[in-house]
Amino acid sequence: MSGALLGAAGCSSDSPSALRPKGPVAGRISALSWFMFGLSGLITLVVFGLMVRGLFSDGEGHRFRMSETRWIALGGVAMPAVVLLALSGLTVTSLHETDGPEPGSYPVEVIGHQYWWEVRYPQARGGPVTAANEIHIPAGRNVRFTLRSVDVIHSLWVPELGGKTDLVPGRTNHLTLKADHPGTFRGQCAEYCGLQHANMAFLVIAETPGDFQRWLSEQAAPAADPGAAAGPAAAGRRDLEQLPCAGCHTVRGTAAAGKVGPDLTHFGSRRTLAALTQPNTPPNVSRWIADAQAVKPGARMPPIALTDTQVSELVAYLRALR
Ligand code: CUA
């Protein structure tokens, strides 16, 4: 299932790896972890070598003899102190270099919800842009994330682009990431936040600056109007405005202005459904609307009694929201 989903989402590989960095922050983290791995490997070899020597030698006849006290002072205190100091120095420098607010970075706000991601673009021209579970960013440019949560602690992690940063209720955290080239990167909530923590994933879609601005202006436009004429999409719009859907969801340009669930203004343009739980296809949307709890137990979308006709009208309308 996940393979098919990632295929549909356009990812190049099944599992995003922090060891395949696609940006400078991830590159720095990866270099540091390889260095630590190499150094600890070396120390392990030296320690095992000394142990083997101790096992098979009677201690006589060696050119270099050291008192036990000196062994302990050098091998047990001085060496670890030097190694740990050097590693913490490198760690602090890396942290400093990867976490500063970069001048000219592009601001994106991410708000964690059980179990999905709200994404806002404060610098979008032509209207407020609020997306969900897909974070479009300009490639080759630092992106400064402002991270908040409305409920519990979540953590934003895009292994190929950088480290994790928590989204903490009542706090505002920041994270700077950059993708070297256009591409699609899978991200995941990295802090246990409840029953559907594992299904709280997202995509980071890095685009050329031109493609990114095009996407942004499409998203800034109000929702597509299916017209007043008869037809399933127009009926779906009336359903959405009149049924409890409108209490939670916003579709800009309609009476639906709820603030609890994801903004659906351009729902049809998204690749996946319910934070990457499923590809955004009509049968999946239909199942989700009819019984979200069967698809993602514990999700905040409550069951609503709908007729089959209402479900298919809503699916037709949501598909049209490109
Ligand atoms: Cu959100 Cu785990």
Side-chain angles (χ1 to χ4, degrees):
M1 212 287 301
S2 76
L5 173 55
L6 285 164
C11 289
S12 56
S13 65
D14 274 0
S15 114
S17 169
L19 300 177
R20 280 195 309 268
K22 299 284 165 49
V25 178
R28 184 81 205 204
I29 293 171
S30 158
L32 185 65
S33 52
W34 278 117
F35 178 75
M36 284 183 175
F37 180 69
L39 188 65
S40 45
L42 188 72
I43 292 170
T44 308
L45 279 179
V46 170
V47 169
F48 273 83
L50 287 170
M51 274 167 61
V52 169
R53 200 185 99 146
L55 275 177
F56 295 105
S57 146
D58 56 8
E60 299 297 324
H62 288 296
R63 279 188 297 147
F64 303 110
R65 312 247 354 227
M66 244 198 287
S67 70
E68 284 171 3
T69 328
R70 187 173 271 189
W71 261 114
I72 292 170
L74 276 179
V77 181
M79 269 284 289
V82 169
V83 169
L84 290 178
L85 272 176
L87 285 183
S88 43
L90 275 173
T91 308
V92 170
T93 336
S94 302
L95 261 179
H96 188 71
E97 281 176 19
T98 53
D99 201 37
E102 299 282 340
S105 55
Y106 190 84
V108 175
E109 296 173 9
V110 177
I111 299 147
H113 297 253
Q114 282 174 318
Y115 301 98
W116 60 282
W117 307 85
E118 181 179 349
V119 191
R120 293 187 191 160
Y121 293 83
Q123 272 186 11
R125 288 184 294 262
V129 170
T130 307
N133 306 320
E134 285 182 12
I135 310 179
H136 287 245
I137 60 169
R141 184 167 172 188
N142 279 305
V143 177
R144 183 77 170 155
F145 289 97
T146 301
L147 307 172
R148 294 192 194 88
S149 170
V150 297
D151 36 46
V152 298
I153 302 178
H154 305 273
S155 185
L156 184 133
W157 188 31
V158 193
E160 288 161 305
L161 298 185
K164 306 163 187 169
T165 302
D166 284 359
L167 294 79
V168 182
R171 254 191 80 101
T172 301
N173 283 344
H174 295 280
L175 170 72
T176 305
L177 293 179
K178 178 173 152 186
D180 286 330
H181 304 288
T184 303
F185 310 100
R186 188 188 163 97
Q188 172 67 41
C189 180
E191 177 72 45
Y192 182 74
C193 52
L195 201 55
Q196 287 295 337
H197 156 71
N199 283 324
M200 185 168 166
F202 59 100
L203 293 176
V204 171
I205 300 163
E207 296 168 311
T208 61
D211 285 349
F212 173 68
Q213 285 303 334
R214 207 166 305 128
W215 175 82
L216 211 54
S217 51
E218 282 164 15
Q219 298 285 312
D225 186 0
R237 175 180 164 159
R238 283 193 295 277
D239 293 339
L240 191 131
E241 288 178 318
Q242 286 156 17
L243 288 164
C245 318
C248 290
H249 294 284
T250 288
V251 179
R252 270 186 295 115
T254 75
K259 296 285 176 223
V260 180
D263 185 303
L264 300 176
T265 308
H266 295 282
F267 175 85
S269 73
R270 291 180 200 148
R271 300 176 189 190
T272 70
L273 182 64
L276 262 70
T277 308
Q278 295 190 327
N280 186 1
T281 61
N284 286 341
V285 178
S286 168
R287 248 193 311 277
W288 177 254
I289 296 173
D291 190 359
Q293 294 303 314
V295 178
K296 196 172 177 178
R300 291 289 179 257
M301 174 123 150
I304 299 168
L306 297 171
T307 66
D308 288 350
T309 315
Q310 283 172 326
V311 170
S312 55
E313 288 167 352
L314 284 165
V315 173
Y317 178 54
L318 289 170
R319 295 285 297 166
L321 294 177
R322 291 270 159 191

